[in-house]
């Protein structure tokens, strides 16, 4: 399709719909900035629902992520989380989790210590905040409560038996069972999303509660895969818990999972209602940074579209999302061909030892920024004053190994929006702490 492009004019354009892009859109709207967001939303569905700030540092599991941030500043001063003041990180997490709760997905208030949350692999992992539907699993694991973990015939990516095999030696009161899911007993493959939508129907919940009650055998807690509804999961959780007469918690499934789909649908519904210009499931094909404004170009099903913005926030992720591209000559940033901080050659991407505890240099590749989250040229100059970046696109972090995916996304989104607002000029009445 061709013709005159449709045009939108906003103060801030966010590119990317992962956790960083969505957090940035949310923070920008909270500040009263007119905002547009473009991106494929699929990335969100990969999140487990756990919001990790900093779970591992130098191979050690972190109990107190706030003092670990201080250690990170000393050991890895170039890490994106080391460049933002801890009080700003804390503020960003509080605002983000409070906003999620106001969207109908209750999240635990981030505390002073990491929580230890059960995973589908049968491990417990450090995380700062998780959906309220998963919270009782932390307590049950800590107190070794008599717990029944249930999985379902036909559901892949979640095995109650595996969970019990791995956690059971340290948690003697843990048992497992497999049930048929009500209305899905024909022996086919089950999908968590379909099960979650089915559990929004009271009759399905009643039938499931009956099947679980029949095998409870004195368990005071029940663990289920994350299937407790897509919309208003806390309501589904409360209703099923009441019907069971036992404490109920969810454990994430393998991605893509319901916890991420919930976030995706909540953002897609709520943020446009708060004024966001959302162009979902599309990619920006061209970005021009001019003296007066930035221009994003893309096509959607109605034809060409242009977004004109005073500032642009790039939150396009890494290789999986297309924010970085790796080829024979090195690692590129495909939209603007931004300089990518990376090892000197492909031979230096990986260490010989695949399981090297310090990780692989390629995982630290990304976009290098100044303290205002503005991408830098190799000589240290800002690429363009209208351009900001956030999320795991940023150099100097290894979010998988350090368990800091959401931390990097939320904290840098907050700091980048704050910096973009400062660039856009007065009228932004927010008085939260500076990034660094
Ligand atoms: C399997 C898996 C499990 C995870 N589990 C956890 C967990 O337990 N805890 C935790 O804290 N974090 C977890 N994460 C990390 C977390 O989900 C996010 O990946 C992370 O927080 C970073 O998000 P991001 O927004 O920076 O990047 P991404 O999530 O990668 O999002 C990038 C976005 O940019 C878009 N994009 C790219 N190019 C363009 C373009 N040209 N135009 C428009 N849009 C574009 C993509 O479509 C995508 O929407 C997990 C991630 C994965 C993959």
């Amino acid at each position: 399709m061709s013709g005159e492009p449709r045009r939108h004019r906003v103060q801030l354009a966010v590119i990317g719909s992962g956790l960083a892009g969505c957090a940035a859109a949310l923070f920008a709207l909270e500040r009263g900035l007119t905002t547009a967001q473009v991106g494929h939303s699929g990335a969100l569905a990969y999140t487990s629902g756990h919001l990790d700030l900093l779970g591992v540092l130098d191979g050690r599991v972190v109990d107190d992520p706030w003092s670990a941030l201080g250690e990170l500043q000393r050991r890895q001063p170039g890490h994106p989380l080391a460049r933002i003041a801890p009080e700003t990180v804390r503020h960003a997490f509080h605002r983000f989790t409070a906003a999620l709760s106001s969207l109908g997905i209750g999240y635990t208030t981030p505390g002073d210590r990491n929580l230890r949350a059960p995973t589908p692999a049968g491990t417990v992992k450090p995380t700062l905040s998780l959906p309220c539907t998963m919270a009782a699993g932390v307590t049950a694991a800590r107190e070794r409560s008599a717990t029944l973990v249930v999985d379902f015939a036909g559901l892949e990516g979640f095995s109650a038996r595996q969970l019990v095999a791995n956690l059971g030696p340290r948690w003697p009161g843990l048992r497992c069972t497999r049930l048929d899911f009500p209305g899905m007993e024909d022996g086919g493959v089950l999908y968590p999303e379909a099960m979650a939508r089915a559990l929004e129907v009271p009759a399905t919940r009643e039938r499931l509660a009956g099947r679980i009650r029949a095998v409870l055998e004195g368990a005071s807690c029940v663990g289920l895969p994350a299937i407790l509804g897509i919309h208003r999961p806390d309501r589904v959780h409360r209703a099923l818990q009441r019907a069971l007469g036992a404490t109920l918690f969810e454990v994430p499934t393998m991605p893509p999972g319901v916890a991420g789909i919930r976030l995706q649908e909540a953002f897609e519904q709520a943020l446009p209602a708060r004024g966001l210009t959302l162009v979902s499931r599309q990619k920006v094909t061209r970005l021009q940074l001019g003296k007066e404004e930035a221009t994003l170009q893309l096509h959607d099903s109605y034809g060409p579209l242009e977004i004109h913005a005073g500032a642009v926030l790039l939150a396009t992720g890494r290789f999986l999302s297309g924010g970085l591209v790796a080829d024979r000559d090195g690692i590129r940033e495909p939209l603007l061909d931004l300089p990518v901080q990376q090892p000197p050659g492909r031979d230096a991407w990986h260490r010989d030892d695949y399981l090297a505890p310090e990780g692989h240099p390629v995982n630290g590749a990304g976009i290098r920024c100044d303290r205002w989250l503005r991408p830098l040229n190799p000589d240290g100059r800002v690429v363009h004053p209208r351009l900001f970046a956030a999320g795991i696109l940023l150099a100097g972090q290894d979010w998988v190994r350090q368990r800091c995916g959401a931390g990097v996304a939320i904290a840098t989104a907050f700091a980048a929006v704050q910096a973009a607002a400062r660039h856009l000029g007065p009228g932004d009445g927010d008085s939260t702490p500076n990034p660094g």
Side-chain angles (χ1 to χ4, degrees):
M1 248 182 258
S2 58
E4 250 326 88
R6 284 134 52 231
R7 292 192 172 86
H8 294 284
R9 194 167 297 278
V10 291
Q11 288 175 292
L12 180 67
V14 177
I15 307 180
S17 304
L19 208 49
C22 290
L26 190 96
F27 292 138
L29 293 173
E30 280 188 354
R31 297 185 89 106
L33 299 177
T34 55
T35 306
Q37 185 187 10
V38 186
H40 272 283
S41 41
L44 261 187
Y46 283 105
T47 67
S48 64
H50 296 165
L51 300 180
D52 308 343
L53 169 55
L54 183 58
V56 175
L57 187 57
D58 292 337
R60 278 180 302 106
V61 173
V62 167
D63 180 41
D64 173 354
W66 304 106
S67 52
L69 283 181
E71 215 175 313
L72 190 70
Q73 280 170 354
R74 286 188 293 280
R75 286 165 189 252
Q76 279 182 256
H79 193 291
L81 282 174
R83 310 187 64 200
I84 302 174
E87 64 266 28
T88 304
V89 178
R90 199 185 276 268
H91 183 79
F93 253 83
H94 274 269
R95 270 169 86 156
F96 189 68
T97 50
L100 292 183
S101 298
S102 80
L103 297 183
I105 305 173
Y107 261 77
T108 61
T109 305
D112 289 334
R113 293 271 186 276
N114 274 330
L115 306 168
R116 299 293 166 97
T119 73
T123 56
V124 287
K125 69 166 264 219
T127 191
L128 189 65
S129 171
L130 37 65
C132 293
T133 51
M134 297 182 185
V138 174
T139 319
R142 190 179 56 233
E143 296 178 356
R144 317 274 196 264
S145 310
T147 298
L148 176 68
V149 184
V150 179
D151 68 13
F152 296 95
L155 174 66
E156 290 164 7
F158 184 87
S159 161
R161 219 165 122 202
Q162 181 184 352
L163 210 131
V164 173
N166 288 332
L167 284 177
R170 278 172 290 147
W171 187 350
L174 193 64
R175 290 188 297 115
C176 63
T177 194
R178 177 161 294 182
L179 296 176
D180 287 326
F181 190 81
M184 299 184 187
E185 294 100 340
D186 59 1
V189 176
L190 303 194
Y191 296 97
E193 184 176 349
M195 299 163 84
R197 294 193 195 276
L199 282 180
E200 290 174 356
V201 179
T204 315
R205 287 201 294 268
E206 282 306 321
R207 290 177 66 198
L208 179 61
R211 288 179 192 188
I212 297 175
R213 273 199 311 265
V215 292
L216 256 184
E217 293 175 16
S220 58
C221 298
V222 173
L224 287 181
I227 52 169
L228 299 179
I230 300 286
H231 304 110
R232 305 228 159 253
D234 301 305
R235 204 180 280 176
V236 175
H237 175 252
R238 268 196 306 275
L240 190 57
Q241 183 165 261
R242 219 174 16 244
L244 282 176
T247 302
L248 178 64
F249 63 87
E250 288 184 316
V251 178
T253 56
M254 297 305 276
V258 160
I261 297 168
R262 281 177 193 148
L263 294 178
Q264 182 178 311
E265 294 205 359
F267 284 131
E268 283 184 357
Q269 283 170 15
L271 298 193
R274 295 184 187 181
L276 178 72
T277 301
L278 176 64
V279 187
S280 58
R281 296 175 178 83
Q282 304 297 336
K283 281 202 157 186
V284 175
T285 48
R286 190 151 183 240
L287 171 57
Q288 287 170 290
L289 297 163
K291 206 160 171 240
E292 304 298 327
E293 62 177 15
T295 307
L296 287 68
Q297 293 176 343
L298 60 145
H299 267 75
D300 65 7
S301 41
Y302 299 103
L305 183 63
E306 277 185 8
I307 297 173
H308 301 266
V312 175
L313 199 160
L314 200 62
T316 46
R318 301 177 71 75
F319 305 103
L320 188 66
S321 294
L324 295 178
V325 175
D327 57 31
R328 300 199 72 78
D329 299 323
I331 301 169
R332 292 183 294 111
E333 186 288 312
L335 198 53
L336 286 167
D337 202 17
L338 293 174
V340 177
Q341 180 176 302
Q342 57 188 294
R346 278 168 58 113
D347 287 350
W349 283 6
H350 298 100
R351 295 182 203 284
D352 291 340
D353 177 4
Y354 180 69
L355 297 175
E358 61 274 45
H360 299 284
V362 68
N363 295 331
I367 304 301
R368 192 167 68 97
C369 290
D370 69 0
R371 63 192 282 261
W372 299 106
L373 278 306
R374 295 176 300 188
L376 294 176
N377 282 309
D379 62 6
R381 277 181 306 115
V382 165
V383 169
H384 198 281
R386 298 187 184 281
L387 183 65
F388 301 83
I392 54 168
L393 171 70
L394 299 178
Q397 48 80 31
D398 182 348
W399 70 268
V400 178
R401 190 167 301 272
Q402 297 178 312
R403 297 224 177 265
C404 63
V408 169
I410 295 167
T412 60
F414 184 83
V417 167
Q418 196 175 32
R422 172 176 162 267
H423 166 82
L424 288 165
D428 174 60
D430 199 287
S431 61
T432 46
N434 280 331

